[in-house]
């Protein structure tokens, strides 16, 4: 069982930055690939980025490539999402998620159904 708690959301002007954190409970955190998704009102949940369980491999959605950076600290059971050059279209609730990936060290899944555990979400609002 893994419990995920996101933090760091808020209101920021376009062009600004935010850093989201996702703290995980459970001793097997390093067995999971981690991902960030987002969901805007009236839209489906959208993949943002994923990182392999070792942190060596990442995969970004085209919409955030070059602006967002994912990282993880397995010693602290935490994954981070640094978001720079934010745009109004980045406004959404951001969720972190965990996908079991023992035996697949480079696994960076992009579909929501692949992920087993989800956080409660944190709101990010970018004003124009």
């Amino acid at each position: 069982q893994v419990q995920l708690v996101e933090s760091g959301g808020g209101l920021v002007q376009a062009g600004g930055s935010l850093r989201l954190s996702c703290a995980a409970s459970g001793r097997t955190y390093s067995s999971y690939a981690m991902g960030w998704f987002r969901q805007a009102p009236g839209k489906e949940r959208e993949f943002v980025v994923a990182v392999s369980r070792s942190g060596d491999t990442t995969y970004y959605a085209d919409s955030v490539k070059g602006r967002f950076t994912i990282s993880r600290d397995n010693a602290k059971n935490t994954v981070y999402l640094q978001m720079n050059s934010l745009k109004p279209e980045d406004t959404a609730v951001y969720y972190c998620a965990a996908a079991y990936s023992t035996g697949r060290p480079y696994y960076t899944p992009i579909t929501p159904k692949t992920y087993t555990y989800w956080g409660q979400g944190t709101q990010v609002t970018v004003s124009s």
Side-chain angles (χ1 to χ4, degrees):
Q1 188 80 7
V2 176
Q3 292 184 326
L4 304 173
V5 179
E6 302 98 335
S7 61
L11 173 64
V12 65
Q13 288 188 333
S17 298
L18 282 174
R19 189 194 196 203
L20 306 184
S21 299
C22 174
S25 65
R27 291 176 291 179
T28 59
Y29 167 74
S30 60
S31 298
Y32 291 82
M34 299 298 295
W36 286 95
F37 291 78
R38 65 187 182 186
Q39 189 165 18
K43 294 188 177 181
E44 293 186 354
R45 193 163 296 191
E46 174 189 23
F47 170 77
V48 176
V49 60
V51 61
S52 62
R53 60 187 179 93
S54 68
D56 291 342
T57 305
T58 57
Y59 188 84
Y60 291 87
D62 288 343
S63 59
V64 306
K65 201 173 296 182
R67 300 188 298 121
F68 291 11
T69 303
I70 191 171
S71 61
R72 65 187 295 166
D73 185 337
N74 285 350
K76 295 182 178 180
N77 282 14
T78 302
V79 62
Y80 305 97
L81 182 63
Q82 178 66 45
M83 305 186 295
N84 299 329
S85 302
L86 283 161
K87 305 175 181 180
E89 52 263 44
D90 294 319
T91 295
V93 177
Y94 283 71
Y95 300 89
C96 72
Y100 190 67
S101 62
T102 293
R104 294 177 290 182
Y106 308 112
Y107 190 41
T108 51
I110 66 172
T111 56
K113 64 181 181 181
T114 306
Y115 289 81
T116 305
Y117 301 107
W118 292 82
Q120 83 288 350
T122 185
Q123 176 71 45
V124 171
T125 303
V126 184
S127 63
S128 58

